[in-house]
Amino acid sequence: SNTKKTVDERLFEICELLEKHVEYYNWVGFYFRNGQKEELKLGPYVGEPTDHTIIPFGKGICGQVALSNQNFVVPDVSAQDNYIACSITVNAEIVVPIFVNGQNIGQIDIDSNTPDPFTAEDERLLEFVCEKVSSIL
Ligand code: SME
């Protein structure tokens, strides 16, 4: 039988691992560019289902990272004017882009219910994860 894991299965396992092992990671998911459209589409994730399965470039934290090509660490989501709320329990968010051949093709997005939890260590961890993800896409 074919027991080879699909990319989405591997991405889901990464989400599960991160959510399980870092206590302040409460929602962990991937967004990817939706074909040639100027929008992101939700990929594998763990946590509460979100209504925001499509996010236009520029909109929210995720949409801004699609354009900036840079990590975005938000210690307090209530202080952001360009923010898409998925759950009222969320206090903080981190988004790190994924590059394939220098192109920003998606991102990992993490929500935390803890205020101001993210450090440079989280950025380094998630950059490492995104590089690994890049190599399996
Ligand atoms: N808060 C994000 C939207 C995605 S949810 O966090 C899952 C944003 O502002 O882009």
Side-chain angles (χ1 to χ4, degrees), residues 38 40 55-67 82 84:
E38 302 277 299
L40 296 163
I55 298 177
F57 282 12
K59 197 159 179 285
I61 308 305
C62 296
Q64 290 177 78
V65 169
L67 296 175
N82 188 359
I84 303 165

Side-chain angles (χ1 to χ4, degrees), residues 27-29 31 40 42 45 48-52 55 59-64 74 77 80 82-87 90 92-93 95 107 109-111:
W27 189 98
V28 179
Y31 283 93
L40 296 163
L42 182 62
Y45 69 93
E48 272 180 58
T50 174
D51 290 338
H52 303 284
I55 298 177
K59 197 159 179 285
I61 308 305
C62 296
Q64 290 177 78
V74 181
V77 295
Q80 294 289 320
N82 188 359
Y83 169 70
I84 303 165
C86 287
S87 160
V90 173
E93 179 162 2
V95 177
Q107 53 193 233
D109 176 21
I110 298 180
D111 287 338

